[in-house]
Amino acid sequence: MTATTSISMRLPLFVVALLLAVSLRAQPASKALPPVPAGVTAHRDLAYVAVGHERQKLDLYLPAEGSGPFPVIVWIHGGAWFAGDRKNCPPLREGFVARGYAVASLGYRLSSHEIFPAQIEDCKAALRWLRAHAKEYRLDAAHIGVWGASAGGHLVSLLGTTDGVREFEVGAHLDQSSRVQAVVDYYGPTDFRQMDKHAPASARQKHDDPESPESRLIGSPIQDAGSAAPVRRANPITYLEKTDPPFLIVHGDADATVPHHQSVLLYEAAVAHKVAVHFITIRGGGHGTAFPYRELHPVVASFFAEQLKGEKPATPAPASRRSEMSATPMATKK
């Protein structure tokens, strides 16, 4: 029996349909690997945990020319923590290797394999592995940024706020740091217990359901009295400190899967802790749908250039700010 089949026997049908749709959007249409762009050298299926789970692997893409060291952008996929695939990698597709970055796309154990904190433990193990192998792959270990969407947005936000949280550092290369220097969070959850309270009227998914993705992630219904501590443990806001790296947060205000309010909470907490943050609201944008990507991707590129390459923008901006973009009705999810 597959993991999806087992889960579908316990989840409401509309939730299964939603999560399968997310999974399908997050993967190529066929099992064939996405083509590698010209000028890119691919190192696929690198195990960042020796003799580990099949999901504990990463794909690494490097400029074919140049001696480096190259700053690194790490992509972490979404899929409600139980679906998704590292093979679909937007930073690769959007040409960041051609801009002089190394790009890594991570797999991690899903909630059907292990409950939280296995997912963040895996992400941190991958970052330590990258730093341990920096010379071999011409990586700039001092400049690593992370980018993720939905469940991946949740995990990159945790990476941004949990530097020094020793309980999440498990496995090999413990002499290496898992700190990141920049975070791009696309519509990631933060406080699971507030999701239903602030969901739009169009939302069909009930996060408080005992079999919701969030409940499955922590291993118990999120609104149970005994779940307060696990929910708080999984919330990136719990660990925020003024020394955390800069954040770029992007969220649609019509998101019926992860309420926009989840990113409002993260933004307000970052401001309170004096963490540099730029929060972009996509007016009319859904869960990654109808995003104005032609406008948005240059902002992401400028953010990473500033934080990972030291390229200062022509017009300096406040450390903490909010801005808006309008949804593009015909845009598709990236």
Side-chain angles (χ1 to χ4, degrees), residues 39-105:
V40 176
T41 299
H43 301 275
R44 286 174 162 147
D45 298 321
L46 299 173
Y48 59 81
V49 173
V51 196
H53 192 276
E54 61 181 5
R55 299 275 311 188
Q56 293 172 316
K57 295 179 181 179
L58 61 84
D59 297 331
L60 183 61
Y61 303 96
L62 303 171
E65 303 294 334
S67 59
F70 304 109
V72 185
I73 296 174
V74 176
W75 170 256
I76 302 179
H77 69 79
W81 305 281
F82 93 84
D85 195 296
R86 73 179 188 275
K87 300 304 180 185
N88 181 34
C89 180
L92 174 67
R93 188 171 64 241
E94 296 302 324
F96 277 87
V97 177
R99 295 174 183 265
Y101 297 93
V103 170
S105 189

Side-chain angles (χ1 to χ4, degrees), residues 46-50 52-53 55-58 74 76 104 106-109 117-134 139 144 146 155 159 162 165-180:
L46 299 173
Y48 59 81
V49 173
H53 192 276
R55 299 275 311 188
Q56 293 172 316
K57 295 179 181 179
L58 61 84
V74 176
I76 302 179
L106 305 189
Y108 53 89
R109 286 171 294 171
Q119 296 70 31
I120 190 61
E121 290 173 354
D122 286 356
C123 293
K124 285 179 169 287
L127 285 167
R128 297 195 309 270
W129 186 94
L130 286 168
R131 284 196 165 99
H133 292 82
L139 308 178
I144 299 179
V146 288
L155 292 171
L159 285 171
T162 57
V165 180
R166 301 306 302 175
E167 65 176 295
F168 295 150
E169 304 285 357
V170 177
H173 307 299
L174 293 176
D175 58 322
Q176 301 293 331
S177 170
S178 65
R179 180 174 175 82
V180 299

Side-chain angles (χ1 to χ4, degrees), residues 168-206:
F168 295 150
E169 304 285 357
V170 177
H173 307 299
L174 293 176
D175 58 322
Q176 301 293 331
S177 170
S178 65
R179 180 174 175 82
V180 299
Q181 281 67 55
V183 177
V184 177
D185 165 22
Y186 274 20
Y187 45 91
T190 51
D191 187 346
F192 301 160
R193 284 187 154 194
Q194 295 196 48
M195 294 179 80
D196 278 352
K197 180 180 178 181
H198 296 278
S202 60
R204 298 182 63 197
Q205 183 172 341
K206 299 301 180 185

Side-chain angles (χ1 to χ4, degrees), residues 3 9 20 32 34 39 48 52 80 82 89 144 158 161-162 202 238 252 273 300 311 318:
M9 295 174 66
L20 286 176
Y48 59 81
F82 93 84
C89 180
I144 299 179
L158 275 170
T161 64
T162 57
S202 60
T238 300
H273 286 82
V300 175
E311 298 179 6

